[in-house]
Each structure stands twice: as structure tokens, then as C-alpha cells.
Amino acid sequence: MSYCRLIPCLFFALLGMVQAEPLPANAWTIQPFSLPALDGTRHSLADWRGKVILLNFWASWCSSCQYEIRDLVAWQERYGDRGLQVVGIGMDIQQKLSNVKRSLEINYPVLVADPELQRDLITRWGNRDGTIPYTVVIDRNGRIVLNHRGLLDRDTFEEYVMPLIRQAANSADVRLVCK
Amino acid sequence: MKTKKHWFGMTALALMFAIGSAGAKESQVLVTVGNLQVTADELKSAMGSSPFATQSVALGEDDQASLRGDLLRRLVAARLLMLEAKRLGLDKTAGNVKDIEDFRNGLLYRFYMDKLRERVAIPEATLSAMKQQFKNDADGLAAARSAYTTDQYRAMRLLTLQNLQKQDNVRLFESRINPAIKADTVLMEGNSFSIKYADIVNSREYPTLPNPEWVKEQLYKRGELLLVAHVAEREGVDVSAKVRQYQSERLPDLMMEKKAHEWIPNEKTLRNWFKQHPEVAVVTERRHVGQLVLATRPEAEAMRARILKGESLFTLAGEYSVDAEGKAKNGDMGWITAGRGLPELDKALARLPDGQVSEIVQTPVGFHLLTIIERKPGQHKTFADVRERVRQLIINEKLPPYLGTLEHRYKVNWQVLQGREEAKSVDALNTAKSVAK
């Protein structure tokens, strides 16, 4: 067996070891949603299947959310082409969400949660008390790596999200080498 | 002469064009005041740190432009006050010089200590153990890291201070803290600094020696501050930009304090103004109102009958009200101050008991049925209750003409308004006025 074939095998074996550990939940086993985005399109989370997803719940009146959004925009800009996909879930009036999107130049999709169903939606994604900001980190296979209440700061991003981005990128590199 | 609203509107409109997209030209000069400038960068920073920072992001473009115009006006006023404060030498008073020096030392100290903390590294093995322990718990991991760093920093800080004391040959004279102490008694001395009793204890506040242990504590704190600040400065730490920034914020405050003292020299001034403006003490009744509006009287009569039989005015308003806003809010009109709104409605509300449905009230809008959910009765406050408000109202009254005289003294050049033909046209002015409302 050539080294070229061995490397991806080792890589996926190691990945398998990580995956074999007890998982909090898998995103694709959670009841799916279909929500309108601010640009008028409609999306479900499965539209970004295979990417590293940051599902971020926020509202226009939440100052911590606004603070965090500036980082999310920067990360989407920097790592979007390496498989990162931030998805905002707006828990607020559509017009205000649109204003924030324009003011903060949000560069990722923002889906609007129906006010009647917001609580149910965020609970389904692991946050019973409904506090925001709240972010769910999902890896390429749908594994929920982190349910994070409060600001997702740079250290936490570095610790939990960057390895997933590197993993995706490394995996892509290996395939390229083996062509 | 331009009105205030007109003026704000002009600014708001121009700002919409000039920096509507979050300041495309970041360092663009918006206004010059004497030899000082207000830049787009500064305005953006002021927006970000204002009490409206969170709300402003969620506003529409017109409202954001209006808010920027208002903030720009405030920045210009601050510049005028700063120039006047300098002209009057307020930056050279002993109090201000000490204040600035304390601020500067504080910055140098903080910079040095932050650098010290940054040098604390968590060994790889310890970090791995932490990550293992707090897997999938970002907050737990952050807390563990912080606790470890704090412990290490504490030990490192103590060691550093001991070394700095030796290097600077610091001597302590605690035995001099006794009832015979004088303002110029030296209590701590090093090669680079000395601390006298007057530096740490205000004789006006403490005419006799306060608790010696408290004095020692002040002495140690001051000693540490000066020693570290001196070392930071020697190592080339430059905090001059932040000191200038602080000075530019402090001087307008000092100028305002001076003017406020001139305008309100004593309690009598406040009381006289209060006597001349008794309306300040009056708090008007407010009512939380529900409303259903119909197009015709027969419809209103039918609805009133249904409400009297037990149906909810609010449910019916959500379904049948011809007032679009009221319908969208299921008839909940919020809190309305007595004396405001349509006179017919105000009159009807004045005699309507809480919780009951009114007779039909006809207005140009339609036929109204009203109810009062809750009421906050009016009251007459005392001078003590409104003293601070009176003070602020006097300042509000005196400040605009005073700023006018300063604008006359120091040339204000609104570069943001220059060369914008659209802002000069009548149509644009009208738009600007509506934006400023």
C-alpha cells in the first residue's frame, strides 16, 4: 500500500476514533426547520450539509449579539471558502433584523424565526431557557460539538471551531494529493 | 437664521450621503472647529459608545442619519468647550494637572501589568488536562484557564515588584505616620520618585491623622503605582495619545462645570427658576388605553353591544378596527398622556372609569369605543423632587446661546455640508426637516 493511500486511511481512522466518543446529539436527527431568510429565499439547515456550521440565535435588541456578530462576519469572510458556514437565526421583527444586517454588513444568511415558534425552535436546539446569544457548533458530519450560551469569543472559536475547519481543509488536501 | 431642527436636518441629510455606509472614507474630516477637527472615524466611535449604540444598529437609514447628525453636533459643542477651556487656562490649574498625571500613571501601570499577565503561559500538559476535564464546556475551560493565569500572575507580580523596589532603592518611613506628621513629610522614597503625606491624604478631608493602617494602605498603593509607571515609561511605553484623548474629554466637562457654577451660583437661583416655572412640578395623568374604531355609527353601536355582553374590545379591534395601527396592535394604544391626542377622545377619557367601555365618540377618523386598562394619576411634585431636573433645565436654557457665542469666537466649518447641491435645494431642505423630526 502506497503512503498516498495510507495517509487518508489513517486520517479517517483517527476521525473515526474521535467520532466513536459519546456525542451530545447529531444535528440531522433533530426535527428539521424551514425558515424564510431576509433575502426572501427559504432554507433548511440541510442546505449547508457537509459544512462546519455555526447556528447563531440572536435579536436586534441584544447588545452581546451585536458584538458577537462582528466576529461572526469576520470569521465567515476568512474561513467561508474553507467550509465554514455561519447561519443566523433572528428572533425578532424582520425589519429590525434587516436593519442590523445592513448596518453590520452581515455576510451570511439570516433566517427569521416565527415569533410563535421561536421558543420551541431554540429549545429543540438545546437551549431550554431561551437566552441569547446562543450558538450551536456543528461539524461536517452533523455532530453537535458545542452548545454555547453567551458570547462565542475568539478563544472558544479557536478551541472548538478551528480544529473542525482545519480537519475539513486537511481532508480536502489529502484527497487532492491522492488524485 | 436657521432653526435648530433645520440645522440638524441639514446635517442628517448630508451625513446620509457622506458616510451612510458606515464611513466609506474613514478619516474624512466632517467639521473643523478652530484648529481642531471632527472626523468620520470619531463620529463612528461616538456612535459605537453612545447609550444608543445597540438601538442605532437596528434603526432605518433615515433615523441613523438623524442620530449621526445629533451626535456630530454634540462633538462640535465639545470641541468649542475645549477651546474655550484652554483659552481660560483650565488645563493648567493644579487640580487638572494632578488629574492628568494620575490618569497617565494609571495607564502606564495598567499597560505594564497587562504585559506581565500576557507573559503567563499555561504548560502544555496542564492545558491538555484542562481540555480533557472541560470537554464540550467552553465556559468551564475559560474559567479554569483564567484561574490558573490569575494565580501565576499574582506570584509573578509580587516577584516583579520586589525586584523593582530593589532596583529603585525604595525606602519606606512608616514610623513617620504619627500625629506629628506634616503635609511635606516624606513617607516613601526611591531613586525615581518620592511620596509625601499630602500626596496620599487630603488635608481638607482629613484635618487630623486618620487611621494609620489606612494611611499605610494608601502609601503602598501609591508607591506601587508610581514605581511601575516609572519603569514603564523608562521602557518606552507611550500613552500620550490616550492622555490627549482623556484631556479632550475632560476639558469640556471642566468648562461646563465652570459655566454651570456661573449660571447657578446658589440654591436661590434654582428656587427662583422653579417659582417662575411651576409646570415643572406637574406630572400629568397617563392612561393605558384600548380602542376600537368603526367606520359608521351603527357598526359602532353593534360592537358596543357585543362588548357589553362580554366580548373583548381587544379581540374585536384586532378583527374589525378601521384604524390600521390599532388593528395591528389588537386595540392596545399604549400609555397616553392626558391632554394629548384628539380633543374629543381626551375629553371622553377624562370622564371614563377604568375597565368600562365608553359611549361612542365621533372624530374625523371614525366612531371610537374606548376603555382604560390602567391609570397613572397625575401628581404635583415638590422642589426637592425636581431639584436636579430644574438644574438641568436651567443649563439646557443657557447652553445654546452660550455655544452660539463660542461658534462666533471659534470658526466652525461644516465641511460635510459643503459642495452638496442636493442639501441646498428647497426640496432637500424639506426632506432634511422631516428627517430631523
Side-chain angles (χ1 to χ4, degrees):
Chain A
M1 184 182 276
S2 73
Y3 280 112
C4 196
R5 285 191 181 175
L6 185 62
I7 293 167
C9 292
L10 275 173
F11 176 79
F12 286 112
L14 287 169
L15 197 65
M17 282 167 64
V18 175
Q19 285 172 336
E21 290 173 14
L23 303 175
N26 188 292
W28 311 125
T29 64
I30 296 173
Q31 185 189 336
F33 60 72
S34 171
L35 297 171
L38 289 175
D39 64 4
T41 56
R42 200 167 182 91
H43 291 278
S44 65
L45 197 66
D47 293 347
W48 298 288
R49 203 168 184 140
K51 295 200 169 201
V52 176
I53 300 171
L54 298 191
L55 190 62
N56 175 247
F57 293 79
W58 65 280
S60 70
W61 45 263
C62 161
S63 53
S64 303
C65 302
Q66 290 185 10
Y67 188 82
E68 180 182 62
I69 281 171
R70 291 170 170 94
D71 279 340
L72 295 175
V73 167
W75 293 331
Q76 181 62 52
E77 170 74 25
R78 191 163 176 191
Y79 302 113
D81 59 358
R82 292 173 64 185
L84 177 70
Q85 183 60 59
V86 182
V87 178
I89 302 280
M91 317 265 282
D92 205 344
I93 298 165
Q94 182 161 345
Q95 186 56 53
K96 289 190 173 180
L97 295 171
S98 292
N99 287 341
V100 176
K101 188 173 194 297
R102 173 183 48 76
S103 301
L104 299 183
E105 298 176 20
I106 295 179
N107 54 357
Y108 51 80
V110 174
L111 312 183
V112 185
D114 184 328
E116 301 281 319
L117 305 172
Q118 285 171 3
R119 193 58 190 257
D120 180 50
L121 183 67
I122 198 168
T123 303
R124 222 187 300 156
W125 283 91
N127 183 350
R128 283 179 187 282
D129 51 24
T131 51
I132 52 171
Y134 175 66
T135 305
V136 183
V137 180
I138 304 162
D139 79 3
R140 300 189 111 207
N141 299 312
R143 187 174 63 111
I144 294 178
V145 176
L146 185 69
N147 295 19
H148 187 75
R149 286 175 171 77
L151 269 176
L152 186 78
D153 61 22
R154 288 165 202 191
D155 285 345
T156 306
F157 181 83
E158 198 63 40
E159 186 67 37
Y160 291 91
V161 184
M162 276 313 292
L164 305 179
I165 293 172
R166 286 194 200 104
Q167 209 172 54
N170 289 345
S171 159
D173 289 348
V174 169
R175 285 194 206 105
L176 194 68
V177 171
C178 295
K179 257 185 181 177
Chain B
M1 190 178 171
K2 287 174 184 172
T3 63
K4 189 180 168 191
K5 269 190 176 176
H6 174 129
W7 193 92
F8 276 166
M10 286 276 286
T11 314
L13 185 71
L15 282 168
M16 215 172 357
F17 289 114
I19 50 169
S21 58
K25 289 173 77 179
E26 298 262 290
S27 57
Q28 180 191 359
V29 175
L30 302 176
V31 187
T32 56
V33 185
N35 59 348
L36 304 174
Q37 296 177 335
V38 182
T39 63
D41 247 5
E42 197 181 349
L43 180 60
K44 193 177 171 186
S45 162
M47 282 282 283
S49 56
S50 81
F52 322 107
T54 303
Q55 295 95 316
S56 71
V57 173
L59 292 176
E61 285 180 285
D62 287 358
D63 290 335
Q64 283 178 340
S66 183
L67 189 58
R68 279 199 292 269
D70 190 22
L71 273 176
L72 183 59
R73 175 71 181 149
R74 286 165 195 263
L75 289 173
V76 170
R79 291 287 190 281
L80 288 167
L81 291 167
M82 184 165 85
L83 287 170
E84 185 65 355
K86 279 189 175 172
R87 188 183 75 84
L88 297 175
L90 299 189
D91 55 333
K92 294 185 175 64
T93 61
N96 187 57
V97 170
K98 184 177 183 310
D99 187 39
I100 295 293
E101 190 56 25
D102 284 349
F103 180 76
R104 188 171 158 278
N105 284 330
L107 279 181
L108 288 165
Y109 176 87
R110 204 181 324 146
F111 184 91
Y112 190 90
M113 286 304 177
D114 285 350
K115 284 284 163 205
L116 200 63
R117 184 183 272 272
E118 281 171 20
R119 292 219 297 266
V120 176
I122 306 177
E124 200 51 50
T126 310
L127 190 59
S128 296
M130 283 178 188
K131 285 180 181 174
Q132 192 59 35
Q133 188 183 351
F134 295 102
K135 203 169 184 184
N136 296 329
D137 178 4
D139 289 340
L141 180 61
R145 272 179 158 159
S146 176
Y148 182 90
T149 308
T150 302
D151 278 350
Q152 295 299 309
Y153 164 71
R154 200 174 288 144
M156 199 188 267
R157 175 174 160 268
L158 199 64
L159 198 66
T160 305
L161 286 173
Q162 283 170 351
N163 285 336
L164 294 180
Q165 279 173 14
K166 274 184 201 161
Q167 283 169 22
D168 206 59
N169 190 25
V170 175
R171 280 107 47 211
L172 188 62
F173 308 107
E174 285 182 319
S175 62
R176 295 176 184 172
I177 302 173
N178 62 52
I181 198 164
K182 299 219 167 20
D184 59 356
T185 303
V186 173
L187 295 177
M188 192 186 282
E189 206 168 31
N191 296 339
S192 61
F193 72 99
S194 77
I195 301 173
K196 293 178 184 141
Y197 179 63
D199 293 329
I200 52 171
V201 178
N202 184 336
S203 60
R204 259 185 275 172
E205 206 174 333
Y206 298 101
T208 57
L209 180 70
N211 182 342
E213 290 307 312
W214 179 81
V215 177
K216 283 180 196 171
E217 198 183 318
Q218 303 309 306
L219 180 63
Y220 304 150
K221 278 186 193 167
R222 181 92 184 150
E224 182 179 330
L225 176 78
L226 294 182
L227 183 61
V228 173
H230 176 75
V231 174
E233 192 172 36
R234 202 175 57 205
E235 290 181 4
V237 177
D238 181 10
V239 292
S240 55
K242 285 187 176 171
V243 171
R244 275 198 303 277
Q245 173 67 22
Y246 176 71
Q247 177 80 323
S248 72
E249 288 165 7
R250 179 86 182 118
L251 283 178
D253 287 348
L254 287 175
M255 193 62 228
M256 277 306 297
E257 278 172 31
K258 181 177 163 56
K259 292 311 288 183
H261 188 69
E262 280 174 31
W263 295 330
I264 311 164
N266 50 42
E267 196 73 3
K268 199 177 162 191
T269 313
L270 291 170
R271 287 189 178 276
N272 284 344
W273 195 93
F274 180 62
K275 271 184 199 162
Q276 288 162 17
H277 301 83
E279 70 280 5
V280 173
V282 178
V283 178
T284 313
E285 179 179 283
R286 290 193 300 148
R287 304 142 184 162
H288 190 179
V289 176
Q291 176 183 241
L292 165 59
V293 190
L294 286 311
T296 65
R297 184 174 288 277
E299 284 175 328
E301 281 168 356
M303 287 295 165
R304 188 166 190 276
R306 286 173 66 173
I307 294 164
L308 289 174
K309 280 184 186 166
E311 286 193 62
S312 160
L313 177 144
F314 300 98
T315 308
L316 294 172
E319 202 167 342
Y320 299 109
S321 190
V322 295
D323 168 41
E325 189 190 345
K327 187 175 181 180
K329 293 178 180 173
N330 290 323
D332 185 347
M333 306 311 290
W335 287 92
I336 297 174
T337 304
R340 294 194 185 163
L342 292 169
E344 302 91 331
L345 299 181
D346 186 52
K347 202 172 157 188
L349 286 167
R351 55 173 185 262
L352 182 65
D354 291 7
Q356 293 191 15
V357 62
S358 71
E359 297 293 334
I360 298 165
V361 186
Q362 186 177 355
T363 74
V365 180
F367 296 84
H368 303 246
L369 294 171
L370 305 163
T371 189
I372 295 176
I373 307 161
E374 203 181 343
R375 188 187 303 259
K376 287 182 182 165
Q379 53 177 308
H380 202 95
K381 294 196 169 181
T382 63
F383 171 73
D385 292 333
V386 294
R387 187 183 174 284
E388 272 314 299
R389 183 152 180 258
V390 167
R391 185 176 182 280
Q392 193 54 53
L393 286 169
I394 295 175
I395 291 171
N396 291 354
E397 190 178 275
K398 303 275 188 189
L399 186 59
Y402 175 62
L403 288 175
T405 62
L406 294 185
E407 278 189 51
H408 196 66
R409 177 170 288 151
Y410 306 102
K411 193 180 171 199
V412 178
N413 186 3
W414 291 86
Q415 301 196 8
V416 73
L417 295 175
Q418 282 178 0
R420 301 200 170 277
E421 288 307 313
E422 58 272 55
K424 291 175 187 167
S425 74
V426 175
D427 283 349
L429 284 181
N430 288 337
T431 311
K433 280 179 189 171
S434 67
V435 167
K437 274 176 191 168

